[in-house]
Amino acid sequence: MKHLLLLAVFWATMATATAHEVRPGYIEINEKAEDVFAISWKQPVRDSRQQVAGLGLRPVFPINCKRDGDSTMRRRPGALVESFTLICEGGLLGQKIGVEGLQKTITDVFVQLNPLTGQATSLRLTADRPLQEFSGGGAGLSAYFGMGVEHLLFGFDHILFVLGLVMLVQGWKPLALVVTGFTLAHSLTLAISVFGWVQLSSSVVEMIIALSILFVAIELAQAPENRSILATRYPQSVAFLFGLLHGFGFAGVLTDIGLPRDAALPALALFNIGIEVGQLMIVAVALLIGSRLAIVLEANRLAQPRLVAVVYQAPVVALGGLSLYWLIGRSVSLFSG
């Protein structure tokens, strides 16, 4: 299945262009007194070390809301956090909230309203729906499912690792074991990280994720008989071990946003299911396109053997080069503080 790596070129190109815009924004609204709301607006930034400005996003509140006092701004890894107070006569239920500039990004903004009485309400603002209404009809748990799907589909390093794992195995049973091992591992660490039982530095996690992709690329670059025993006989163990680290990466979004106090477990489950749906979508598309490419390449193997060999090997080199680029960049960011 090594022809599947041809897809890595597409995802690698997109990854370098959009890697800093996929982390969601977050607006937390806590009602402190009747019609008085404490706002925390966390906007993702393009570069967590040098870029001070965010993505040019601005929350838009209803006309019945006015700011009370000055706002404070603080810097967090990968985000700018602005805190201020709003006085909204008549409250926010039934009113619309939006984010200006969201249409120009691939970033979502998760909004959570915690009223003094009643159930928390959540919204997920997207590029095609940047303005939505607080209906008060529930906690909006479906937003967590959507975030899980999109976090996987736009998590290019996770995608490349999964594709690499798929290409290390032959046959449906080994493929099922690899996918299952990866799923169990990242589900475990996602849960224990989100609930605060075990946490790792995001910089360390991202560096090791890049290392996991480089490991797979090195194995794929070798003939099957020359690969390590771990990769040839126990690919499910590779998937499980590195999947533990990828789970900490998945947890970054939920750690930033948090889980609804009255429905933490359902929200976590929906987010994880969303990740699995996104993962299965990637595997299915890869297998479909890869099988078509294999037919074309095999038909031209005798007529143009050197060209076919280059087509097979070039994506392996691209995957290794991209993972090495990520590894060096993330290592420099980690050790330079």
Side-chain angles (χ1 to χ4, degrees):
M1 281 189 255
K2 67 179 180 179
H3 50 273
L4 296 183
L5 198 51
L6 293 169
L7 297 176
V9 174
F10 170 74
W11 273 297
T13 301
M14 292 195 63
T16 57
T18 61
H20 294 294
E21 292 193 52
V22 297
R23 206 170 187 86
Y26 179 48
I27 302 176
E28 183 176 10
I29 306 174
N30 294 306
E31 188 174 12
K32 297 301 183 182
E34 185 176 358
D35 297 344
V36 179
F37 300 88
I39 312 296
S40 178
W41 157 231
K42 182 167 63 176
Q43 178 179 185
V45 296
R46 290 186 176 88
D47 189 292
S48 60
R49 294 200 314 121
Q50 299 176 355
Q51 182 70 34
V52 176
L55 299 180
L57 305 179
R58 185 176 70 88
V60 179
F61 295 95
I63 58 173
N64 66 316
C65 295
K66 295 183 180 180
R67 292 204 183 200
D68 182 33
D70 297 328
S71 63
T72 61
M73 189 80 70
R74 66 185 187 276
R75 190 70 185 279
R76 291 183 55 185
L80 291 172
V81 182
E82 182 182 9
S83 301
F84 54 91
T85 300
L86 283 181
I87 297 179
C88 303
E89 296 184 7
L92 286 173
L93 289 180
Q95 302 292 333
K96 290 185 177 181
I97 184 174
V99 173
E100 183 180 310
L102 194 59
Q103 305 94 319
K104 301 177 182 179
T105 73
I106 60 172
T107 300
D108 292 349
V109 174
F110 192 79
V111 185
Q112 181 150 318
L113 170 62
N114 300 309
L116 282 173
T117 59
Q119 192 176 34
T121 301
S122 301
L123 300 175
R124 178 168 158 262
L125 306 180
T126 61
D128 56 344
R129 294 190 64 198
L131 182 69
Q132 295 182 40
E133 178 182 314
F134 282 120
S135 63
L141 291 180
S142 61
Y144 284 89
F145 174 80
M147 282 194 299
V149 174
E150 291 193 359
H151 189 55
L152 191 285
L153 294 181
F154 290 103
F156 301 104
D157 45 6
H158 301 301
I159 288 175
L160 294 182
F161 180 71
V162 170
L163 288 178
L165 287 177
V166 170
M167 288 178 286
L168 278 178
V169 300
Q170 297 290 333
W172 289 103
K173 183 177 180 180
L175 176 61
L177 290 175
V178 163
V179 172
T180 300
F182 185 68
T183 297
L184 291 176
H186 75 65
S187 297
L188 174 63
T189 49
L190 170 62
I192 65 176
S193 180
V194 168
F195 287 116
W197 298 332
V198 177
Q199 292 183 327
L200 295 179
S201 165
S202 61
S203 298
V204 173
V205 170
E206 290 178 356
M207 184 184 69
I208 300 179
I209 287 175
L211 182 62
S212 71
I213 303 170
L214 181 59
F215 170 82
V216 173
I218 292 174
E219 294 293 340
L220 289 171
Q222 303 179 69
E225 61 271 16
N226 295 328
R227 293 173 185 169
S228 67
I229 295 178
L230 190 62
T232 54
R233 296 186 182 180
Y234 308 105
Q236 66 273 17
S237 299
V238 174
F240 185 85
L241 291 174
F242 281 122
L244 293 173
L245 273 301
H246 283 254
F248 285 109
F250 291 138
V253 172
L254 286 187
T255 301
D256 288 343
I257 293 176
L259 297 170
R261 290 168 294 187
D262 55 347
L265 286 176
L268 175 61
L270 284 172
F271 181 80
N272 198 47
I273 291 172
I275 289 176
E276 300 318 315
V277 170
Q279 178 177 297
L280 291 175
M281 289 170 62
I282 291 297
V283 172
V285 171
L287 290 173
L288 178 63
I289 297 179
S291 63
R292 299 295 183 268
L293 288 173
I295 294 173
V296 174
L297 292 175
E298 289 300 324
N300 290 276
R301 180 180 293 277
L302 295 179
Q304 304 182 60
R306 296 188 64 181
L307 177 61
V308 171
V310 170
V311 171
Y312 272 129
Q313 292 302 319
V316 177
V317 175
L319 181 63
L322 180 60
S323 59
L324 185 60
Y325 169 78
W326 275 336
L327 179 61
I328 294 174
R330 293 173 182 182
S331 299
V332 170
S333 297
L334 174 63
F335 293 111
S336 63

